[in-house]
Amino acid sequence: KGGILGKPVEIVSVDNKSTPEGMLEGYKKLIESEKVIGVLTNTKSPQIIAITPVAKQAGVATVIGGTSPKLTDDMQNSFLRLRPNDDVMSTGLVQFIKENTPFKRIGILHDVAVNGTSMANQQEKTVKLYPDLKIVARVSYPTNSGQFKEQFEVMKKAKAENVVVDERHRVDEVDLVARRIAPASRERGWGVRQRGLGDHRIRSRER
């Protein structure tokens, strides 16, 4: 029973240790030792980028969830992306501000990792399409950071009216970032409105 086209299918799994190094080690094992015909990976762009050279040489179909645009820009024939890239989401965020809020002075707060940086780059490009919008500050934070006081102090000095924060992973991860940001934001007289664009719904909550 089961299988594909009447042929049995064997699933081989490896632990990527949630690191780029572990991802590369595990991917090499699947390709070189297990001789798999396809690979299902995770959603973290930095980890997927680590396997790019090997994937390009091997030519094995690799399904990814990473959102960095460079993943499929570099490898149209090897990586199969399951969700929109950061350019789509970043453009949507700026368009939402333009069409649904009175804010004109925008601050960008982003993860220092490649996916966060690519989102911030696209947000800047999109803002330039609207003459009445202006990026007044762009500040990064270390991945998994729990402190945002310094970043929000920069936003306050720049007189940002709205701060765009990139976070587009699982709902529990988005909630965690929002909870960490809320205290630093409130100290400077701002609230936090969390909006998620996905599954054809907009989730919104005040913090």
Side-chain angles (χ1 to χ4, degrees):
K1 295 182 179 180
I4 298 176
L5 299 177
K7 296 183 179 181
V9 175
E10 179 184 359
I11 297 177
V12 181
S13 63
V14 296
D15 182 6
N16 69 6
K17 303 174 184 177
S18 297
T19 66
E21 296 78 13
M23 183 75 160
L24 179 58
E25 179 183 353
Y27 190 80
K28 283 183 175 180
K29 179 179 179 181
L30 291 174
I31 300 296
E32 298 171 0
S33 300
E34 300 294 343
K35 307 296 183 182
V36 299
I37 60 172
V39 180
L40 302 178
T41 68
N42 63 7
T43 62
K44 304 295 186 180
S45 294
Q47 296 175 27
I48 299 170
I49 287 173
I51 67 173
T52 298
V54 176
K56 184 178 295 186
Q57 184 176 5
V60 173
T62 301
V63 179
I64 65 173
T67 56
S68 173
K70 71 180 298 182
L71 292 173
T72 45
D73 287 347
D74 292 346
M75 304 215 24
Q76 292 290 346
N77 295 323
S78 296
F79 284 167
L80 307 176
R81 192 197 303 274
L82 294 181
R83 57 179 180 167
N85 68 31
D86 292 335
D87 287 354
V88 175
M89 291 181 279
S90 297
T91 300
L93 283 171
V94 175
Q95 289 176 340
F96 177 85
I97 293 172
K98 170 65 178 177
E99 298 171 4
N100 297 276
T101 79
F103 305 130
K104 306 299 180 184
R105 297 175 61 83
I106 301 172
I108 297 177
L109 177 61
H110 67 92
D111 191 316
V112 73
V114 62
N115 42 3
T117 299
S118 65
M119 287 194 75
N121 290 342
Q122 182 62 26
Q123 288 160 10
E124 285 191 334
K125 291 180 182 178
T126 307
V127 166
K128 291 179 180 179
L129 298 177
Y130 305 106
D132 57 332
L133 299 184
K134 181 180 181 180
I135 300 293
V136 296
R138 173 175 168 172
V139 187
S140 64
Y141 62 88
T143 303
N144 299 323
S145 173
Q147 301 294 327
F148 295 91
K149 289 186 177 182
E150 292 183 4
Q151 289 89 340
F152 272 90
E153 189 61 34
V154 172
M155 297 297 177
K156 183 178 180 180
K157 290 181 179 179
K159 298 182 180 180
E161 298 172 324
N162 183 79
V163 178
V164 179
V165 184
D166 78 274
E167 188 50 61
R168 62 263 170 265
H169 297 302
R170 300 190 313 265
V171 173
D172 57 339
E173 292 178 338
V174 175
D175 285 346
L176 178 60
V177 171
R179 287 197 299 270
R180 288 173 172 174
I181 285 175
S185 176
R186 291 197 183 108
E187 283 182 10
R188 285 141 187 85
W190 296 334
V192 174
R193 178 176 291 273
Q194 177 184 339
R195 285 192 173 270
L197 305 177
D199 299 329
H200 307 292
R201 302 189 301 273
I202 294 182
R203 301 183 301 276
S204 177
R205 67 184 71 178
E206 295 283 355
R207 291 197 178 275

